[in-house]
Amino acid sequence: MVSAEISGDLTVSSRYDDESVRRFRELGYWRDGSAAALLDHWADTTPDRPYVSDGVADLTYGDTRDRAYRLGARLLELGVRPGDRVVVQLPNWSEFIVSYLALGRIGAVMVPIMMVYRDAEVEHVLANSDAVAAITTGTFRSFDHAAMFRGLQSSSPSLRHLVIARADPAPGETSFDEASGAGAAIPGADVLGPYPDPDLPHVIVYTSGTESTAKGCVHTWNTLDFSGRGLATDVFAMTDRDVMFMPSPVAHATGLVVGVLVPLTVGAPTHLLDVWEPTEALRRIERYGCTTSASATPFVRMALDAARSSSSDISSMRFWLCAGAPIPPALGAEFSTAFSGGLLMPLYGCSEIMAGTSCHLEDPPEKRSTSDGSPALAGVEITLMGPDGEDAAPGEEGEICYWGPGAILGYWREPERTAATIDSRGRHHTGDLGRADADGFVRVTGRLKDIIIRGGTNISAGEVEGHLSAHPSVAGVAVVAYPDERMGERACAVVVPADGATPTLEELTGFLRTERRISPQKLPEKLVLVDQMPMTATGKVQKFRLRELAAGA
């Protein structure tokens, strides 16, 4: 069991009142299952049906269970216990899904980390989560992840074990293949124990949001399964004849829920793409007969550009869920032509709530381009809070607030942040702004949060500013978004140089990459030098003016 003291008093009873919990269970929003029980169902009834492929490995449901349960048993031998946090930093490989299901079987809490995260971000996650083990790989895209974790062990006393996939482990480390591979007996409940409690922490997803340090979003099996099951049935209308295509990182909220849980819900296959390259993506869609997908909007734009010169048959794709930016009418029409009548549908959500709003198959076509949808799933209530604290009327802008069975219990070991985000009505405040029409369809209009959304991924401006301010050539700095056709937004650093200094973009990004060791995706892609920052009368930087400056530079 995970004690309230360890989890920061994050329990179902501290998050929801008794009536809400009763209602969630009565209406079937929470079903008290587990990821392992779902895997067992499909492995027992359809053991030879494909589940996960990645261009290298092809695993059936039976294969996946065998490997996951062997890995789970090995982790127990290493001393991992129910409630322990285990970091998983892996690409879109079958090993990620095997790791997730292994941890879900033994009741350990998976902490997925994006592959682009480097020492600074990973060290914070390790310290905040007190992870006892990490499952990772060696060199991927010219960066040695195993070496990074080895270097961080000295500053992370709880991190006792490293499990290495698709690379050679060092002495004292564990080989993923040997731990999960064929040859050993498949352990049963006598070794693995009972299924874990579905109301205890199951996954902690770290997200930057507005603050300079990432916060851990604590999901139980019930909160996560609610979104995965609801998206599978209510949005994708998915069956076991579908094949999910997942180019979004499965260590990210979208990839985890849509790429892993949605197919698992209906016993369908999922195909993972580890490195985004649009022409290769189209080849994979043809090769594996993919029918559904989800990604940030820029992925769709690049896929459509590649389709003009590609000979791949992509007519199997019927449905692509699109997040992170509005869908222009022309983009939806172009998608339908390229994918032989396939539908491009909008989704709005975040790591804290997963699925907030979405359009559905029965919605009028014009809603797909004029809104980000209505509440995505039955049981979800979306309200907009105006500046006066009251609910905003239709057409008026307000902060988007979520109430429903899919919200996190809170932030791991962050009671102040949890209290600041969840109000007295039990609503989760997203920090995003929107307007709702008379039919309840919401259009996201902006955000209260100071972030840049690059290709659907949030970048905390405050975090990057904090790192840049440590550079000797920087006297003042602000990081803002500027529009980009492909990525939606990119980051621009607006810098007041120190006396006598003339910093360059290459100098600053090199400092961030090698000295501060932050994720490459957070590096500013434009630099503007100014004599002084535009300020309000109360001394706040006028970032709207800086965004205008960055857009025109």
Side-chain angles (χ1 to χ4, degrees):
M1 297 288 287
V2 179
S3 71
E5 180 181 357
I6 292 176
S7 65
D9 200 28
L10 296 178
T11 64
V12 168
S13 59
S14 68
R15 175 67 175 87
Y16 294 101
D17 58 51
D18 292 342
E19 175 58 25
S20 295
V21 173
R22 185 197 64 77
R23 177 184 171 195
F24 293 165
R25 298 188 191 285
E26 182 180 86
L27 295 176
Y29 301 147
W30 289 355
R31 294 187 177 179
D32 288 348
S34 70
L38 199 51
L39 175 62
D40 278 342
H41 170 74
W42 298 119
D44 287 339
T45 57
T46 57
D48 297 325
R49 180 181 295 164
Y51 177 30
V52 55
S53 58
D54 58 20
V56 174
D58 293 272
L59 303 182
T60 65
Y61 274 92
D63 296 333
T64 303
R65 178 172 64 178
D66 293 352
R67 296 195 182 197
Y69 287 7
R70 282 193 288 260
L71 177 61
R74 179 65 179 127
L75 292 171
L76 288 172
E77 289 177 3
L78 291 174
V80 177
R81 293 293 177 259
D84 283 346
R85 278 73 62 204
V86 176
V87 159
V88 180
Q89 189 182 43
L90 288 171
N92 279 22
W93 292 347
S94 64
E95 288 88 344
F96 182 95
I97 293 182
V98 169
S99 298
Y100 166 69
L101 292 167
L103 297 171
R105 179 62 185 85
I106 66 174
V109 181
M110 186 179 77
V111 182
I113 298 182
M114 299 269 282
M115 289 301 289
V116 295
Y117 281 7
R118 299 293 184 257
D119 299 58
E121 297 96 346
V122 175
E123 185 174 26
H124 167 73
V125 171
L126 291 173
N128 184 253
S129 68
D130 272 340
V132 302
I135 303 174
T136 190
T137 187
T139 300
F140 179 76
R141 305 195 78 177
S142 304
F143 183 81
D144 192 335
H145 295 268
M148 175 184 67
F149 277 100
R150 291 169 191 142
L152 291 173
Q153 280 187 297
S154 61
S155 60
S156 307
S158 66
L159 184 63
R160 299 188 295 272
H161 305 289
L162 296 183
V163 180
I164 309 299
R166 300 195 190 185
D168 294 328
E173 298 172 356
T174 300
S175 163
F176 189 102
D177 285 344
E178 291 180 4
S180 65
I186 311 303
D190 58 326
V191 173
L192 300 174
Y195 291 140
D197 186 328
D199 287 329
L200 289 178
H202 173 65
V203 169
I204 304 176
V205 181
Y206 279 80
T207 181
S208 292
T210 61
E211 292 84 5
S212 59
T213 57
K215 49 191 185 292
C217 302
V218 179
H219 279 281
T220 68
W221 165 252
N222 270 329
T223 64
L224 204 64
D225 174 60
F226 169 77
S227 292
R229 180 161 37 91
L231 286 171
T233 57
D234 297 350
V235 176
F236 284 97
M238 196 163 177
T239 73
D240 59 8
R241 295 183 298 278
D242 282 301
V243 179
M244 180 62 69
F245 172 61
M246 187 41 57
S248 298
V250 286
H252 187 264
T254 299
L256 176 61
V257 172
V258 179
V260 181
L261 288 189
V262 166
L264 183 62
T265 296
V266 298
T270 186
H271 180 72
L272 309 179
L273 180 66
D274 61 352
V275 177
W276 172 253
E277 198 289 312
T279 301
E280 177 63 18
L282 300 181
R283 284 196 290 264
R284 297 284 188 94
I285 290 171
E286 177 184 30
R287 177 182 172 187
Y288 290 91
C290 299
T291 61
T292 58
S293 187
S295 73
T297 309
F299 284 62
V300 178
R301 177 67 272 161
M302 287 184 271
L304 291 176
D305 290 342
R308 297 193 187 105
S309 57
S310 172
S311 60
S312 296
D313 180 0
I314 53 178
S315 60
S316 61
M317 183 63 66
R318 66 171 181 81
F319 190 97
W320 195 307
L321 205 59
C322 198
I327 301 175
L331 186 69
E334 187 179 349
F335 182 91
S336 180
T337 299
F339 287 91
S340 303
L343 295 177
L344 194 59
M345 290 286 196
L347 170 77
Y348 163 75
C350 59
S351 298
E352 288 89 343
I353 63 173
M354 295 303 176
T357 64
S358 177
C359 279
H360 302 79
L361 290 171
E362 65 272 16
D363 289 336
E366 63 270 13
K367 296 294 187 182
R368 299 172 204 155
S369 58
T370 61
S371 79
D372 294 289
S374 57
L377 310 175
V380 169
E381 297 176 8
I382 299 293
T383 56
L384 303 182
M385 189 184 77
D388 58 358
E390 300 296 325
D391 289 354
E396 294 182 353
E397 190 174 63
E399 183 184 9
I400 300 173
C401 299
Y402 172 105
W403 185 89
I408 58 170
L409 297 186
Y411 297 115
W412 183 260
R413 290 179 170 167
E414 299 270 14
E416 295 84 6
R417 284 179 168 178
T418 299
T421 305
I422 301 171
D423 66 21
S424 60
R425 292 166 56 180
R427 300 181 304 177
H428 186 98
H429 287 244
T430 66
D432 294 316
L433 298 172
R435 288 187 174 87
D437 64 19
D439 299 319
F441 286 81
V442 176
R443 170 61 96 191
V444 180
T445 56
R447 53 190 176 269
L448 298 172
K449 301 182 290 186
D450 192 9
I451 60 174
I452 296 96
I453 303 180
R454 183 187 187 277
T457 299
N458 291 357
I459 300 171
S460 167
E463 178 188 3
V464 181
E465 290 165 354
H467 288 299
L468 281 173
S469 64
H471 193 282
S473 296
V474 175
V477 60
V479 175
V480 296
Y482 66 94
D484 180 79
E485 183 178 352
R486 281 188 172 271
M487 302 305 293
E489 294 180 339
R490 296 181 189 266
C492 173
V494 182
V495 169
V496 178
D499 290 342
T502 309
T504 65
L505 181 62
E506 292 74 16
E507 176 187 359
L508 296 179
T509 55
F511 170 77
L512 293 175
R513 184 182 293 108
T514 61
E515 297 294 326
R516 308 299 288 193
R517 297 198 213 179
I518 70 170
S519 165
Q521 69 180 4
K522 298 178 182 178
L523 301 179
E525 295 171 85
K526 184 183 287 189
L527 172 66
V528 175
L529 301 180
V530 295
D531 293 332
Q532 60 183 9
M533 294 289 180
M535 311 289 281
T536 67
T538 58
K540 294 182 180 179
V541 175
Q542 295 178 311
K543 284 203 166 182
F544 74 94
R545 291 180 60 184
L546 297 183
R547 284 190 284 270
E548 294 171 354
L549 185 65

